[in-house]
Amino acid sequence: MYINRVLDLSVQGAKVLLQAAIAKAEAMGVPQCIAIVDRGGNLMVFERMEGAKLHSQFSAIQKAYTAVSAKVSTGQLPTDLAVGIALASGNRFATIAGGLPIEIHGEVIGGIGIGSGTDEEDIEVAEAAIEALKAAISSEAGS
């Protein structure tokens, strides 16, 4: 085969993720930095909610990049391995939780990184965003 057919995250899909993440963070009362990247790790949308930690801007983007690059949630590797990879990648690899790959129909199409809350809060916001995207896709397919 000379070409591959792939699923791509659209800007519209990235905005669904962003709005769902904002809504979940607001409902939790935890302002967040939210980053969405495409399958190549390119930043598509970003929001720093009012009150989110300034340093979390960088970590949210790195979490999203790491999640799509490694195709796994961030914060799962043993510390020594994660630090080694972070150094080898020019600090592009996030070693902390809050980044999830966005998987649709068995294909990783992007990544979402959330930062400013606890690990659990960041993950909860990311999961809510991904579920909203899946619901939107299901709704569109049913139309």
Side-chain angles (χ1 to χ4, degrees), residues 28-52:
M28 294 169 63
V30 180
Q32 295 279 20
C33 291
I34 303 154
I36 317 286
V37 299
D38 66 14
R39 66 183 311 112
N42 302 297
L43 186 62
M44 295 185 77
V45 295
F46 176 83
E47 171 106 6
R48 180 180 165 272
M49 296 173 66
E50 190 171 327

Side-chain angles (χ1 to χ4, degrees), residues 31-34 46-61 115-117:
Q32 295 279 20
C33 291
I34 303 154
F46 176 83
E47 171 106 6
R48 180 180 165 272
M49 296 173 66
E50 190 171 327
K53 298 172 187 166
L54 293 176
H55 66 274
S56 294
Q57 296 174 90
F58 179 75
S59 65
I61 294 168
S116 203

